[in-house]
Amino acid sequence: MNKEFLNVIVADNDENTLIFFKNIFKELKISIKVQCFNNGKNLMEYLNNNDAVVPEIVFINYAIPGKDSMECIDELKANPKFSNMVTAIYSEEISENEIEETFVKGNNICIRKPSDFGTLKKVLTEVITINWQYHTSGLNKDNFILKV
């Protein structure tokens, strides 16, 4: 597939988190185009638009307003247009049962969001690196489940 850059979407209602994600992605050696949405409703309106660029990976805050993360996952997994897109749910506080629910619904990655920038950078770097390898080597996304 060898692409020049990775398209990434981050959906979170916390402006500081969006800034953290953007800054971390800028520092990586991989070229990344980032789009941000502050609620699940706007995220899904964009993705369901015919002109939307389908990202390789979308990061969604578990507790996002507008349309919750599980509703977004349900919609994304039901639409073949998004079959090659990796989803990553993250939250500062998420129970084991909630993590399990995200995977049952078809989510690929679940992240307990660290509170400090350095650890968040390490986690996001790992996720993006694995994702980039998946896209450039043709790994099977159906087996791509990661709990960070």
Side-chain angles (χ1 to χ4, degrees):
M1 191 180 275
N2 290 335
K3 296 180 66 167
E4 294 175 25
F5 55 85
L6 204 61
N7 283 300
V8 174
I9 287 180
V10 182
D12 198 315
N13 59 320
D14 181 353
E15 192 63 36
N16 288 333
T17 298
L18 294 175
I19 291 167
F20 278 167
F21 272 69
K22 283 194 245 181
N23 288 340
I24 289 167
F25 293 149
K26 274 185 206 166
E27 293 178 17
L28 298 179
K29 290 178 173 58
I30 300 166
S31 296
I32 299 175
K33 287 189 178 181
V34 184
Q35 284 184 281
C36 297
F37 295 90
N38 60 9
N39 65 61
K41 182 175 177 280
N42 290 350
L43 167 68
M44 294 312 300
E45 282 174 2
Y46 168 77
L47 287 173
N48 287 317
N49 183 323
N50 290 334
D51 298 332
V53 173
V54 176
E56 280 75 38
I57 185 167
V58 60
F59 291 89
I60 306 171
N61 182 338
Y62 183 75
I64 195 162
K67 182 175 277 197
D68 76 34
S69 58
M70 292 298 91
E71 289 176 285
C72 293
I73 293 293
D74 285 342
E75 270 188 59
L76 294 170
K77 298 305 175 179
N79 188 335
K81 171 181 174 182
F82 306 117
S83 63
N84 289 323
M85 184 175 73
V86 172
T87 56
I89 299 290
Y90 65 91
S91 179
E92 289 171 9
E93 294 184 26
I94 186 168
S95 72
E96 289 298 321
N97 287 345
E98 290 166 329
I99 290 170
E100 186 66 30
E101 179 192 6
T102 73
F103 290 137
V104 167
K105 289 188 174 271
N107 181 45
N108 304 104
I109 301 169
C110 198
I111 302 167
R112 272 206 181 93
K113 188 176 132 206
S115 55
D116 66 285
F117 184 82
T119 309
L120 179 61
K121 180 179 178 181
K122 182 178 182 292
V123 168
L124 291 180
T125 301
E126 287 176 22
V127 169
I128 290 294
T129 303
I130 289 169
N131 198 12
W132 184 255
Q133 290 169 346
Y134 152 71
H135 279 286
T136 56
S137 68
L139 293 172
N140 183 345
K141 184 178 74 65
D142 295 332
N143 299 325
F144 185 57
I145 293 179
L146 181 66
K147 182 177 164 189
V148 185

PDB file of all heavy atoms in Angstrom, residues 27-52:
ATOM      1  N   GLU A  27       5.628  15.206  16.075  1.00  0.00           N
ATOM      2  CA  GLU A  27       6.983  14.811  16.455  1.00  0.00           C
ATOM      3  C   GLU A  27       7.407  13.453  15.894  1.00  0.00           C
ATOM      4  O   GLU A  27       8.584  13.122  15.914  1.00  0.00           O
ATOM      5  CB  GLU A  27       7.111  14.787  17.984  1.00  0.00           C
ATOM      6  CG  GLU A  27       7.006  16.161  18.607  1.00  0.00           C
ATOM      7  CD  GLU A  27       7.088  16.125  20.126  1.00  0.00           C
ATOM      8  OE1 GLU A  27       7.539  15.098  20.677  1.00  0.00           O
ATOM      9  OE2 GLU A  27       6.692  17.122  20.752  1.00  0.00           O
ATOM     10  N   LEU A  28       6.458  12.675  15.393  1.00  0.00           N
ATOM     11  CA  LEU A  28       6.794  11.346  14.881  1.00  0.00           C
ATOM     12  C   LEU A  28       7.486  11.440  13.531  1.00  0.00           C
ATOM     13  O   LEU A  28       7.334  12.414  12.800  1.00  0.00           O
ATOM     14  CB  LEU A  28       5.526  10.491  14.763  1.00  0.00           C
ATOM     15  CG  LEU A  28       4.777  10.224  16.064  1.00  0.00           C
ATOM     16  CD1 LEU A  28       3.525   9.397  15.790  1.00  0.00           C
ATOM     17  CD2 LEU A  28       5.656   9.501  17.062  1.00  0.00           C
ATOM     18  N   LYS A  29       8.245  10.400  13.203  1.00  0.00           N
ATOM     19  CA  LYS A  29       8.966  10.376  11.937  1.00  0.00           C
ATOM     20  C   LYS A  29       8.052  10.020  10.765  1.00  0.00           C
ATOM     21  O   LYS A  29       8.452  10.058   9.618  1.00  0.00           O
ATOM     22  CB  LYS A  29      10.122   9.379  12.019  1.00  0.00           C
ATOM     23  CG  LYS A  29      11.220   9.843  12.939  1.00  0.00           C
ATOM     24  CD  LYS A  29      12.330   8.814  13.042  1.00  0.00           C
ATOM     25  CE  LYS A  29      13.525   9.297  13.819  1.00  0.00           C
ATOM     26  NZ  LYS A  29      13.272   9.716  15.178  1.00  0.00           N
ATOM     27  N   ILE A  30       6.822   9.648  11.059  1.00  0.00           N
ATOM     28  CA  ILE A  30       5.838   9.304  10.043  1.00  0.00           C
ATOM     29  C   ILE A  30       5.023  10.551   9.725  1.00  0.00           C
ATOM     30  O   ILE A  30       4.611  11.267  10.632  1.00  0.00           O
ATOM     31  CB  ILE A  30       4.903   8.184  10.570  1.00  0.00           C
ATOM     32  CG1 ILE A  30       5.720   6.935  10.907  1.00  0.00           C
ATOM     33  CG2 ILE A  30       3.817   7.868   9.568  1.00  0.00           C
ATOM     34  CD1 ILE A  30       4.960   5.911  11.734  1.00  0.00           C
ATOM     35  N   SER A  31       4.789  10.821   8.452  1.00  0.00           N
ATOM     36  CA  SER A  31       3.952  11.965   8.076  1.00  0.00           C
ATOM     37  C   SER A  31       2.497  11.622   8.362  1.00  0.00           C
ATOM     38  O   SER A  31       1.987  10.607   7.885  1.00  0.00           O
ATOM     39  CB  SER A  31       4.129  12.287   6.597  1.00  0.00           C
ATOM     40  OG  SER A  31       5.446  12.677   6.352  1.00  0.00           O
ATOM     41  N   ILE A  32       1.858  12.482   9.135  1.00  0.00           N
ATOM     42  CA  ILE A  32       0.477  12.236   9.548  1.00  0.00           C
ATOM     43  C   ILE A  32      -0.369  13.472   9.270  1.00  0.00           C
ATOM     44  O   ILE A  32       0.023  14.586   9.605  1.00  0.00           O
ATOM     45  CB  ILE A  32       0.412  11.889  11.053  1.00  0.00           C
ATOM     46  CG1 ILE A  32       1.212  10.617  11.325  1.00  0.00           C
ATOM     47  CG2 ILE A  32      -1.032  11.735  11.513  1.00  0.00           C
ATOM     48  CD1 ILE A  32       1.319  10.256  12.787  1.00  0.00           C
ATOM     49  N   LYS A  33      -1.528  13.257   8.645  1.00  0.00           N
ATOM     50  CA  LYS A  33      -2.514  14.321   8.483  1.00  0.00           C
ATOM     51  C   LYS A  33      -3.597  14.069   9.519  1.00  0.00           C
ATOM     52  O   LYS A  33      -4.217  13.006   9.525  1.00  0.00           O
ATOM     53  CB  LYS A  33      -3.122  14.299   7.078  1.00  0.00           C
ATOM     54  CG  LYS A  33      -2.170  14.789   6.014  1.00  0.00           C
ATOM     55  CD  LYS A  33      -2.880  14.952   4.690  1.00  0.00           C
ATOM     56  CE  LYS A  33      -1.920  15.486   3.648  1.00  0.00           C
ATOM     57  NZ  LYS A  33      -2.559  15.688   2.350  1.00  0.00           N
ATOM     58  N   VAL A  34      -3.806  15.048  10.398  1.00  0.00           N
ATOM     59  CA  VAL A  34      -4.746  14.883  11.508  1.00  0.00           C
ATOM     60  C   VAL A  34      -5.964  15.779  11.312  1.00  0.00           C
ATOM     61  O   VAL A  34      -5.830  16.959  10.994  1.00  0.00           O
ATOM     62  CB  VAL A  34      -4.078  15.251  12.855  1.00  0.00           C
ATOM     63  CG1 VAL A  34      -5.032  14.990  14.011  1.00  0.00           C
ATOM     64  CG2 VAL A  34      -2.791  14.498  13.054  1.00  0.00           C
ATOM     65  N   GLN A  35      -7.139  15.207  11.536  1.00  0.00           N
ATOM     66  CA  GLN A  35      -8.380  15.982  11.600  1.00  0.00           C
ATOM     67  C   GLN A  35      -8.966  15.758  12.980  1.00  0.00           C
ATOM     68  O   GLN A  35      -8.882  14.649  13.520  1.00  0.00           O
ATOM     69  CB  GLN A  35      -9.381  15.489  10.562  1.00  0.00           C
ATOM     70  CG  GLN A  35      -9.070  15.932   9.159  1.00  0.00           C
ATOM     71  CD  GLN A  35     -10.180  15.480   8.238  1.00  0.00           C
ATOM     72  OE1 GLN A  35     -10.218  14.328   7.855  1.00  0.00           O
ATOM     73  NE2 GLN A  35     -11.077  16.384   7.918  1.00  0.00           N
ATOM     74  N   CYS A  36      -9.568  16.800  13.544  1.00  0.00           N
ATOM     75  CA  CYS A  36     -10.121  16.697  14.891  1.00  0.00           C
ATOM     76  C   CYS A  36     -11.606  17.044  14.891  1.00  0.00           C
ATOM     77  O   CYS A  36     -12.048  17.927  14.149  1.00  0.00           O
ATOM     78  CB  CYS A  36      -9.380  17.636  15.842  1.00  0.00           C
ATOM     79  SG  CYS A  36      -7.643  17.213  16.023  1.00  0.00           S
ATOM     80  N   PHE A  37     -12.341  16.352  15.743  1.00  0.00           N
ATOM     81  CA  PHE A  37     -13.763  16.618  15.941  1.00  0.00           C
ATOM     82  C   PHE A  37     -14.016  16.654  17.434  1.00  0.00           C
ATOM     83  O   PHE A  37     -13.391  15.912  18.187  1.00  0.00           O
ATOM     84  CB  PHE A  37     -14.613  15.521  15.277  1.00  0.00           C
ATOM     85  CG  PHE A  37     -14.467  15.502  13.786  1.00  0.00           C
ATOM     86  CD1 PHE A  37     -13.488  14.732  13.181  1.00  0.00           C
ATOM     87  CD2 PHE A  37     -15.276  16.282  12.991  1.00  0.00           C
ATOM     88  CE1 PHE A  37     -13.315  14.731  11.810  1.00  0.00           C
ATOM     89  CE2 PHE A  37     -15.119  16.293  11.614  1.00  0.00           C
ATOM     90  CZ  PHE A  37     -14.134  15.518  11.018  1.00  0.00           C
ATOM     91  N   ASN A  38     -14.956  17.539  17.865  1.00  0.00           N
ATOM     92  CA  ASN A  38     -15.168  17.678  19.304  1.00  0.00           C
ATOM     93  C   ASN A  38     -16.396  16.926  19.810  1.00  0.00           C
ATOM     94  O   ASN A  38     -16.739  17.021  20.975  1.00  0.00           O
ATOM     95  CB  ASN A  38     -15.218  19.150  19.721  1.00  0.00           C
ATOM     96  CG  ASN A  38     -16.327  19.909  19.039  1.00  0.00           C
ATOM     97  OD1 ASN A  38     -17.164  19.315  18.369  1.00  0.00           O
ATOM     98  ND2 ASN A  38     -16.340  21.208  19.207  1.00  0.00           N
ATOM     99  N   ASN A  39     -17.056  16.158  18.928  1.00  0.00           N
ATOM    100  CA  ASN A  39     -18.140  15.291  19.385  1.00  0.00           C
ATOM    101  C   ASN A  39     -18.390  14.182  18.362  1.00  0.00           C
ATOM    102  O   ASN A  39     -17.975  14.281  17.211  1.00  0.00           O
ATOM    103  CB  ASN A  39     -19.422  16.081  19.696  1.00  0.00           C
ATOM    104  CG  ASN A  39     -20.029  16.724  18.468  1.00  0.00           C
ATOM    105  OD1 ASN A  39     -20.407  16.035  17.526  1.00  0.00           O
ATOM    106  ND2 ASN A  39     -20.119  18.050  18.475  1.00  0.00           N
ATOM    107  N   GLY A  40     -19.059  13.137  18.824  1.00  0.00           N
ATOM    108  CA  GLY A  40     -19.305  11.972  17.975  1.00  0.00           C
ATOM    109  C   GLY A  40     -20.253  12.250  16.825  1.00  0.00           C
ATOM    110  O   GLY A  40     -20.132  11.653  15.755  1.00  0.00           O
ATOM    111  N   LYS A  41     -21.183  13.168  17.036  1.00  0.00           N
ATOM    112  CA  LYS A  41     -22.144  13.504  15.975  1.00  0.00           C
ATOM    113  C   LYS A  41     -21.422  14.125  14.781  1.00  0.00           C
ATOM    114  O   LYS A  41     -21.627  13.718  13.629  1.00  0.00           O
ATOM    115  CB  LYS A  41     -23.194  14.465  16.539  1.00  0.00           C
ATOM    116  CG  LYS A  41     -24.283  14.856  15.573  1.00  0.00           C
ATOM    117  CD  LYS A  41     -25.333  15.717  16.275  1.00  0.00           C
ATOM    118  CE  LYS A  41     -26.405  16.188  15.331  1.00  0.00           C
ATOM    119  NZ  LYS A  41     -26.014  17.332  14.524  1.00  0.00           N
ATOM    120  N   ASN A  42     -20.558  15.114  15.038  1.00  0.00           N
ATOM    121  CA  ASN A  42     -19.810  15.754  13.948  1.00  0.00           C
ATOM    122  C   ASN A  42     -18.862  14.772  13.267  1.00  0.00           C
ATOM    123  O   ASN A  42     -18.691  14.810  12.051  1.00  0.00           O
ATOM    124  CB  ASN A  42     -19.023  16.962  14.459  1.00  0.00           C
ATOM    125  CG  ASN A  42     -19.918  18.119  14.855  1.00  0.00           C
ATOM    126  OD1 ASN A  42     -21.112  18.114  14.594  1.00  0.00           O
ATOM    127  ND2 ASN A  42     -19.342  19.094  15.521  1.00  0.00           N
ATOM    128  N   LEU A  43     -18.241  13.896  14.061  1.00  0.00           N
ATOM    129  CA  LEU A  43     -17.351  12.872  13.508  1.00  0.00           C
ATOM    130  C   LEU A  43     -18.105  12.015  12.497  1.00  0.00           C
ATOM    131  O   LEU A  43     -17.653  11.827  11.361  1.00  0.00           O
ATOM    132  CB  LEU A  43     -16.803  11.989  14.627  1.00  0.00           C
ATOM    133  CG  LEU A  43     -16.107  10.687  14.190  1.00  0.00           C
ATOM    134  CD1 LEU A  43     -14.806  10.980  13.468  1.00  0.00           C
ATOM    135  CD2 LEU A  43     -15.874   9.785  15.391  1.00  0.00           C
ATOM    136  N   MET A  44     -19.264  11.503  12.887  1.00  0.00           N
ATOM    137  CA  MET A  44     -20.009  10.602  12.017  1.00  0.00           C
ATOM    138  C   MET A  44     -20.615  11.338  10.815  1.00  0.00           C
ATOM    139  O   MET A  44     -20.678  10.783   9.724  1.00  0.00           O
ATOM    140  CB  MET A  44     -21.089   9.852  12.813  1.00  0.00           C
ATOM    141  CG  MET A  44     -20.516   8.894  13.846  1.00  0.00           C
ATOM    142  SD  MET A  44     -19.190   7.793  13.243  1.00  0.00           S
ATOM    143  CE  MET A  44     -20.025   6.915  11.948  1.00  0.00           C
ATOM    144  N   GLU A  45     -21.025  12.594  11.016  1.00  0.00           N
ATOM    145  CA  GLU A  45     -21.527  13.378   9.873  1.00  0.00           C
ATOM    146  C   GLU A  45     -20.428  13.529   8.829  1.00  0.00           C
ATOM    147  O   GLU A  45     -20.663  13.383   7.637  1.00  0.00           O
ATOM    148  CB  GLU A  45     -22.021  14.758  10.326  1.00  0.00           C
ATOM    149  CG  GLU A  45     -23.385  14.715  10.980  1.00  0.00           C
ATOM    150  CD  GLU A  45     -23.809  16.064  11.550  1.00  0.00           C
ATOM    151  OE1 GLU A  45     -23.070  17.074  11.429  1.00  0.00           O
ATOM    152  OE2 GLU A  45     -24.905  16.114  12.134  1.00  0.00           O
ATOM    153  N   TYR A  46     -19.202  13.807   9.293  1.00  0.00           N
ATOM    154  CA  TYR A  46     -18.082  13.947   8.360  1.00  0.00           C
ATOM    155  C   TYR A  46     -17.818  12.621   7.651  1.00  0.00           C
ATOM    156  O   TYR A  46     -17.731  12.557   6.421  1.00  0.00           O
ATOM    157  CB  TYR A  46     -16.813  14.417   9.082  1.00  0.00           C
ATOM    158  CG  TYR A  46     -15.592  14.294   8.192  1.00  0.00           C
ATOM    159  CD1 TYR A  46     -15.356  15.228   7.177  1.00  0.00           C
ATOM    160  CD2 TYR A  46     -14.709  13.232   8.316  1.00  0.00           C
ATOM    161  CE1 TYR A  46     -14.259  15.101   6.334  1.00  0.00           C
ATOM    162  CE2 TYR A  46     -13.610  13.101   7.480  1.00  0.00           C
ATOM    163  CZ  TYR A  46     -13.395  14.034   6.488  1.00  0.00           C
ATOM    164  OH  TYR A  46     -12.324  13.901   5.643  1.00  0.00           O
ATOM    165  N   LEU A  47     -17.657  11.542   8.421  1.00  0.00           N
ATOM    166  CA  LEU A  47     -17.292  10.253   7.829  1.00  0.00           C
ATOM    167  C   LEU A  47     -18.359   9.722   6.874  1.00  0.00           C
ATOM    168  O   LEU A  47     -18.038   9.052   5.894  1.00  0.00           O
ATOM    169  CB  LEU A  47     -16.997   9.221   8.923  1.00  0.00           C
ATOM    170  CG  LEU A  47     -15.690   9.427   9.673  1.00  0.00           C
ATOM    171  CD1 LEU A  47     -15.583   8.464  10.853  1.00  0.00           C
ATOM    172  CD2 LEU A  47     -14.489   9.272   8.748  1.00  0.00           C
ATOM    173  N   ASN A  48     -19.617  10.020   7.156  1.00  0.00           N
ATOM    174  CA  ASN A  48     -20.702   9.542   6.284  1.00  0.00           C
ATOM    175  C   ASN A  48     -20.898  10.407   5.049  1.00  0.00           C
ATOM    176  O   ASN A  48     -21.682  10.063   4.173  1.00  0.00           O
ATOM    177  CB  ASN A  48     -22.006   9.412   7.081  1.00  0.00           C
ATOM    178  CG  ASN A  48     -21.965   8.220   8.015  1.00  0.00           C
ATOM    179  OD1 ASN A  48     -21.510   7.145   7.654  1.00  0.00           O
ATOM    180  ND2 ASN A  48     -22.427   8.413   9.240  1.00  0.00           N
ATOM    181  N   ASN A  49     -20.178  11.522   4.970  1.00  0.00           N
ATOM    182  CA  ASN A  49     -20.226  12.385   3.791  1.00  0.00           C
ATOM    183  C   ASN A  49     -19.467  11.688   2.659  1.00  0.00           C
ATOM    184  O   ASN A  49     -18.404  11.124   2.871  1.00  0.00           O
ATOM    185  CB  ASN A  49     -19.570  13.728   4.147  1.00  0.00           C
ATOM    186  CG  ASN A  49     -19.620  14.723   3.024  1.00  0.00           C
ATOM    187  OD1 ASN A  49     -19.492  14.395   1.855  1.00  0.00           O
ATOM    188  ND2 ASN A  49     -19.795  15.973   3.398  1.00  0.00           N
ATOM    189  N   ASN A  50     -20.004  11.737   1.451  1.00  0.00           N
ATOM    190  CA  ASN A  50     -19.363  11.073   0.311  1.00  0.00           C
ATOM    191  C   ASN A  50     -17.982  11.628  -0.009  1.00  0.00           C
ATOM    192  O   ASN A  50     -17.159  10.943  -0.600  1.00  0.00           O
ATOM    193  CB  ASN A  50     -20.256  11.162  -0.929  1.00  0.00           C
ATOM    194  CG  ASN A  50     -21.492  10.290  -0.778  1.00  0.00           C
ATOM    195  OD1 ASN A  50     -21.482   9.301  -0.051  1.00  0.00           O
ATOM    196  ND2 ASN A  50     -22.558  10.665  -1.460  1.00  0.00           N
ATOM    197  N   ASP A  51     -17.723  12.886   0.346  1.00  0.00           N
ATOM    198  CA  ASP A  51     -16.431  13.513   0.040  1.00  0.00           C
ATOM    199  C   ASP A  51     -15.381  13.274   1.126  1.00  0.00           C
ATOM    200  O   ASP A  51     -14.245  13.707   0.985  1.00  0.00           O
ATOM    201  CB  ASP A  51     -16.605  15.031  -0.134  1.00  0.00           C
ATOM    202  CG  ASP A  51     -17.519  15.358  -1.304  1.00  0.00           C
ATOM    203  OD1 ASP A  51     -17.572  14.554  -2.250  1.00  0.00           O
ATOM    204  OD2 ASP A  51     -18.167  16.418  -1.261  1.00  0.00           O
ATOM    205  N   ALA A  52     -15.752  12.596   2.204  1.00  0.00           N
ATOM    206  CA  ALA A  52     -14.838  12.411   3.331  1.00  0.00           C
ATOM    207  C   ALA A  52     -13.657  11.524   2.951  1.00  0.00           C
ATOM    208  O   ALA A  52     -13.808  10.545   2.220  1.00  0.00           O
ATOM    209  CB  ALA A  52     -15.576  11.785   4.504  1.00  0.00           C
TER     210      ALA A  52
END
